[in-house]
Structures are given as C-alpha cells and as structure tokens.
Amino acid sequence: MNENSYETIEVRREGRVGVITLNRPKALNALNEQTMQDVVAAATELDRDSGIGALILAGSEKAFAAGADIKEMSGKSASDMYHEDFFAGWDAFARLRTPKIAAVAGYALGGGCELAMMCDLILAADTAVFGQPEIALGVIPGMGGTQRLTRAVGKAKAMDMILTGRQMRAEEAERSGLVSRVVAADELMDTALEVAGKIAEMSKPAAQHAVETVNAAYESGLWAGVQHERRVFHGLFSTADQKEGMSAFAEKRTARFSHE
Ligand code: CAA
C-alpha cells in the first residue's frame, strides 16, 4: 500500500522513525473499522522494515482519539459483536515488535486511551485528557482498558475512572504512571521524534526484545518474568549488535549498529 493512500491516517518517515497520524478530524479521530485497518496495515509494514527502528502514533491538537466510533457500533447486537470479534483486529497493533510511542494531545478517551496504552510508552502534551467514559454509554471499555489502565495506574484510580468516567489530565497521568513525560503542546511532536529517534539508533533486535520483556512483566508473575528476561538476555549474545555494542564500549567509541 502506498504510504499516502490511506483513508483515515497519514504516514511519513523521518529517518528511522515511522510516524502515523490519525486523520478523521470531523469525528475527533474516532476509531472506526477503516481506521483500525489503516493503522494496522501501515504499522505492520513499518514494523517489518529494517530501516525503521521506532514508531510514533499521533492524533491532532484537539484529539488523539475520542474513542471507538459510537455511531458505527451503536446498532450492533451482541451476536454481531461476537461474530465479528469486534476490536480483535487491534491486537495485531498491540503485538507489533517495533517500539511504538503514543504522542497524545487533547482527548484520549475510551478506545483512544486504550490505543495509547497499547503503545510501549505515552508522551503527553499538557493539553492531554485521558478517560474511559464507556460507563456513560451503558458499556465498559472493550479495547483492553480494564486491564491496561489498572496495571498502569493501579486499582483505585482505574476503578474511579472506569466507574465514574472521570477524566485524568496530563499532570495526574504522569504522576500516576500512565504517561512517561508531559511537554508543552507545541513541543509534543519534536519530543516524540527525539525520543523515537534515540530508540531507533539502538540495536533494533535489542529494542524489540526489551519491549517484549518489559511487556512480560505485565503478563506474567515475577519469577516467570525474570526467567524470561534471562533467556532473552542470553539469546541477544547471538546478535552482531551485541558484539559491536560491547566492543565499542571497550574501544571507547560509539557503536555502529547493523540492527542485526
Ligand atoms: N464516535 C463517533 N463520533 C464521535 C466520537 C466517537 N467516539 N467522538 C466525537 N465524535 C464526533 C461527534 O459526534 C461530532 O460529530 P458531528 O459534528 O457529526 O456531530 C464530532 O465528532 C465532534 O464532536 P463534539 O461536537 O462532541 O465535540 P466537543 O468538543 O463538543 O466534545 C468530546 C468533545 C467531549 C470528546 C465529545 O465528542 C465526546 O464525548 N465524545 C465521545 C467520547 C466517548 O464516549 N468515547 C468512548 C467511545 S466508546 C469506546 O471507545 C469503547 C471502547 O472501549 C473501545
């Protein structure tokens, strides 16, 4: 697929960084089926490209994404939702191995908050607002929010947000561990490119294994996670980048990674 032929997103490359920008401004980037297909297709292509070492997912100034598209799903039955396995397509995005950064300004509500949490780290503009308002629609989060938000901010805040629909502003989100940094809105993309650029300079296999192994901390008990980490650490000694990285340190020079 040509990178500029998507209907709901824009895709560009900045050196070794792939940038995907949600682009449904009239619907505040609400996530419909087409958006899911576009994001997954573009991100999968970038993920497989050895010339790309990190991804950024961004929205607009007003909204990262205001949730799943309510108008698209409102008339569906439980049977439709089950047969379509609604939202399951997003799992392919969550499972990508290239480090991915959500650059969030404005509303990240419902599926927007959940999509940001599928990324490996979240950078927020001081305008960012996170929330899971599904309870007010008579449902609950359906793209991982009950699980990822609880792990990110703990049970007390997750219950508060999911049961009342209370929104969390950027400063509280940083304090609570949901986002890694908060910056001025006009610095968000520069900061995201700087962080993504830094990650993309590193050995790609090392960064991919780091993502997988940190994520294992979410998905397994402590002992299983520590064992997984050790096996991955051992395995990385088969890469050219490990030899180069450690030789460069001993030789007091900057490593030149081949990303292999
Ligand atoms: N789905 C579909 N359309 C949406 C949308 C959504 N989630 N969010 C906003 N829009 C549309 C609005 O309907 C409106 O379209 P029209 O101009 O055609 O009426 C347009 O985007 C602009 O929105 P508003 O006029 O409402 O803008 P605002 O500035 O007054 O309010 C807002 C902004 C507070 C974010 C408000 O739009 C809002 O509350 N949106 C819904 C948020 C929400 O409930 N998200 C959860 C969705 S369910 C979900 O995500 C399930 C899941 O777990 C995955």
Side-chain angles (χ1 to χ4, degrees):
M1 172 76 94
N2 179 299
E3 283 186 0
N4 294 314
S5 62
Y6 293 105
E7 206 178 297
T8 66
I9 59 172
E10 284 170 4
V11 183
R12 69 179 202 275
R13 288 160 189 255
E14 302 256 351
R16 288 182 51 75
V17 177
V19 183
I20 298 174
T21 306
L22 301 171
N23 187 28
R24 290 189 74 210
K26 288 188 182 141
L28 300 183
N29 293 332
L31 305 168
N32 62 1
E33 177 78 22
Q34 189 63 50
T35 312
M36 181 178 78
Q37 284 175 15
D38 287 352
V39 170
V40 169
T44 302
E45 191 176 323
L46 291 165
D47 177 66
R48 289 183 184 148
D49 185 339
S50 60
I52 292 291
L55 304 178
I56 296 173
L57 181 64
S60 68
E61 253 175 61
K62 181 169 178 184
F64 176 74
D69 192 312
I70 300 167
K71 294 165 190 168
E72 185 181 68
M73 68 185 160
S74 62
K76 289 185 188 286
S77 66
S79 171
D80 295 334
M81 295 299 265
Y82 181 75
H83 284 298
E84 291 171 32
D85 205 359
F86 209 75
F87 296 143
W90 287 111
D91 296 347
F93 177 76
R95 287 281 173 203
L96 291 178
R97 301 190 308 169
T98 302
K100 46 195 186 307
I101 296 174
V104 177
Y107 296 112
L109 300 179
C113 184
E114 293 168 294
L115 182 58
M117 291 190 292
M118 285 181 202
C119 295
D120 301 305
L121 59 98
I122 304 177
L123 302 176
D126 50 11
T127 58
V129 177
F130 298 88
Q132 299 288 166
E134 290 89 346
I135 194 93
L137 299 170
V139 291
I140 66 167
M143 276 171 57
T146 60
Q147 308 303 299
R148 292 194 178 93
L149 187 67
T150 307
R151 282 165 165 83
V153 304
K155 178 177 168 181
K157 280 186 186 286
M159 281 289 188
D160 186 354
M161 291 171 75
I162 290 169
L163 286 173
T164 69
R166 180 172 82 82
Q167 296 178 351
M168 195 185 256
R169 304 197 69 85
E171 185 268 326
E172 184 184 1
E174 184 183 24
R175 200 167 6 104
S176 308
L178 179 59
V179 313
S180 62
R181 306 185 196 187
V182 179
V183 298
D186 59 1
E187 289 169 15
L188 180 64
M189 192 39 82
D190 285 349
T191 306
L193 285 167
E194 190 185 313
V195 175
K198 181 92 197 155
I199 294 169
E201 277 170 21
M202 305 298 177
S203 162
K204 186 167 181 180
Q208 288 178 315
H209 282 85
V211 163
E212 180 187 320
T213 312
V214 173
N215 282 334
Y218 268 146
E219 292 158 11
S220 56
L222 181 66
W223 179 237
V226 168
Q227 278 194 312
H228 177 72
E229 179 194 80
R230 189 168 308 135
R231 294 290 166 254
V232 170
F233 188 78
H234 294 165
L236 281 170
F237 281 67
S238 66
T239 64
D241 284 346
Q242 176 269 327
K243 300 288 175 277
E244 167 61 11
M246 294 195 179
S247 305
F249 176 78
E251 292 159 18
K252 300 189 187 303
R253 60 176 175 81
T254 305
R256 287 182 300 270
F257 291 123
S258 59
H259 308 290
E260 284 168 7

